[in-house]
Amino acid sequence: MRKRILVVFIIVVSFILTFADYNILIPSANNFIRTMEVENYKIKFLYSKEIEKYISIDKFASGKNGNIVLFENMGRNNLYISNLENLVKWNVITLDKFPIPSYDSTFHFVTNGNSVVFFYNNHKNNNLEIYQYSLSEKKWKLIKSYLNSSYFDMYPSKINDNFLSFVIQNNKNEIELHLLNITDKEDIMIKNNITGEYKLDVNTKGDVVFIDNIKIEYFNNETKAIKEIDLNNNYPEIITNPPYFVTFISDSNIAIYSNNKLIIFNTESWKIKDVIYEIPNAIVGLNGLSDGSILVNIYDYKGE
């Protein structure tokens, strides 16, 4: 049965490749998600390796509204867009006038639901260029260009509504953490000369949380102040080791992944609220969704 579905999928895709915008169906795709409820938390596990049976994934991004955006470069630059509510249906958009050369696969992108934001290191001009692609209007817009700088992809970038947080390397080889409002173009350098392996996220107010070696640092966009706490020193009973992932699950609560558990931390009381155990390994991403649930991206097959 699975072979028959796959053959039909390939035939349909081959038939409609001449069109710029079309839909494909993966009938079993809603089974790629497993949902677990613990206390007041809903956790959605997405087994993204299952999707690779049907779509060649070159790049992956998830939005706060549950959107899943995949990029595939197979002679054409295609975006595959779906939502956690219905992974059966995927909208395929071929990117016309793609500003990034087809031979350059080092770019990165994030999605905020109604658009996709691309980071492109233009080596010809030695600039970092940030483009926004509107999914509804199918139009490109250059948001920001940083002279003599490059996107530093050791660190993730995150977007929430109009706020974009990311890390760049300047012409002095210094690593800078930035917050950019993509509507009014206000750009704040939160911190420079950063080291380590930061994970980060941004909330709807433009507050940014970033962690390294389980030290949490929190930038308040209103006061421009940074607070920090070392969980190992303050909560020695909770064993924490890399890899780490962090995400806002509301404007005042964050979830941190470490050692097969999720640590829920409140940024107002500055204390741990809850610890959720038995989170699977092979995790490659963590995203707090706008409905209050937590998406855990697992690069594995779901199995039975």
Side-chain angles (χ1 to χ4, degrees):
M1 183 64 181
R2 178 176 292 180
K3 289 183 178 178
R4 182 180 301 172
I5 293 172
L6 184 57
V7 169
V8 171
F9 174 84
I10 293 171
I11 292 173
V12 171
V13 172
S14 300
F15 179 75
I16 57 183
L17 272 178
T18 56
F19 295 91
D21 193 348
Y22 55 90
N23 294 325
I24 60 173
L25 301 179
I26 305 177
S28 61
N30 286 335
N31 296 324
F32 301 166
I33 298 176
R34 178 173 67 88
T35 301
M36 178 177 76
E37 294 191 26
V38 180
E39 300 291 338
N40 297 318
Y41 305 100
K42 179 181 287 188
I43 305 170
K44 299 176 181 179
F45 300 98
L46 174 63
Y47 293 84
S48 54
K49 210 167 185 179
E50 295 282 358
I51 302 174
E52 289 187 334
K53 296 176 183 177
Y54 304 91
I55 303 172
S56 175
I57 303 175
D58 294 318
K59 298 181 187 293
F60 176 103
S62 63
K64 295 290 185 180
N65 68 337
N67 266 14
I68 302 296
V69 178
L70 312 177
F71 180 87
E72 178 192 44
N73 185 355
M74 295 289 288
R76 296 187 176 202
N77 299 306
N78 288 336
L79 290 180
Y80 292 77
I81 303 163
S82 188
N83 192 279
L84 293 172
E85 295 301 315
N86 183 18
L87 288 177
V88 169
K89 182 179 178 180
W90 292 78
N91 180 230
V92 186
I93 298 175
T94 298
L95 297 174
D96 294 325
K97 300 179 182 179
F98 193 49
I100 302 171
S102 58
Y103 58 80
D104 192 331
S105 62
T106 61
F107 66 89
H108 182 76
F109 71 85
V110 292
T111 179
N112 63 352
N114 56 15
S115 68
V116 181
V117 175
F118 290 79
F119 296 81
Y120 167 49
N121 290 328
N122 189 331
H123 299 292
K124 182 178 179 180
N125 299 325
N126 200 27
N127 295 340
L128 166 62
E129 298 169 357
I130 302 178
Y131 293 93
Q132 184 178 29
Y133 180 78
S134 169
L135 294 175
S136 58
E137 299 176 356
K138 309 292 191 299
K139 291 182 179 179
W140 291 96
K141 179 172 65 175
L142 177 64
I143 301 175
K144 186 80 173 177
S145 180
Y146 293 87
L147 299 177
N148 300 313
S149 300
S150 60
Y151 175 74
F152 202 67
D153 61 4
M154 274 185 59
Y155 304 97
S157 53
K158 290 295 183 72
I159 191 170
N160 198 335
D161 288 344
N162 295 323
F163 291 105
L164 181 65
S165 187
F166 55 95
V167 173
I168 68 174
Q169 185 173 23
N170 63 26
N171 60 348
K172 298 179 182 178
N173 292 324
E174 297 171 334
I175 311 301
E176 303 173 348
L177 173 61
H178 283 251
L179 174 69
L180 176 65
N181 187 316
I182 62 176
T183 300
D184 62 18
K185 311 298 175 62
E186 181 186 9
D187 179 33
I188 300 172
M189 186 178 70
I190 297 174
K191 193 173 182 178
N192 65 350
N193 290 323
I194 66 175
T195 59
E197 297 183 6
Y198 278 100
K199 302 295 183 182
L200 59 90
D201 199 13
V202 60
N203 66 10
T204 60
K205 300 185 296 182
D207 299 341
V208 179
V209 60
F210 44 109
I211 69 168
D212 174 51
N213 291 328
I214 216 60
K215 182 176 77 170
I216 302 174
E217 297 183 70
Y218 186 89
F219 170 78
N220 185 304
N221 190 30
E222 182 178 0
T223 66
K224 308 303 188 250
I226 297 178
K227 292 176 65 175
E228 63 179 55
I229 183 173
D230 189 313
L231 290 186
N232 276 334
N233 291 339
N234 289 271
Y235 297 93
E237 70 277 11
I238 298 177
I239 301 172
T240 52
N241 289 307
Y244 303 119
F245 294 90
V246 64
T247 187
F248 280 97
I249 57 177
S250 69
D251 278 345
S252 58
N253 288 307
I254 60 175
I256 303 162
Y257 172 85
S258 174
N259 285 98
N260 300 97
K261 62 182 177 291
L262 287 175
I263 302 165
I264 311 300
F265 187 85
N266 184 271
T267 60
E268 293 177 347
S269 66
W270 210 239
K271 293 180 180 178
I272 288 179
K273 286 180 59 178
D274 294 294
V275 180
I276 303 170
Y277 294 91
E278 298 183 7
I279 303 298
N281 52 19
I283 173 174
V284 293
L286 188 69
N287 196 9
L289 304 179
S290 54
D291 65 1
S293 61
I294 305 169
L295 175 64
V296 180
N297 183 8
I298 298 174
Y299 189 64
D300 200 355
Y301 298 109
K302 184 181 178 183
E304 301 300 329

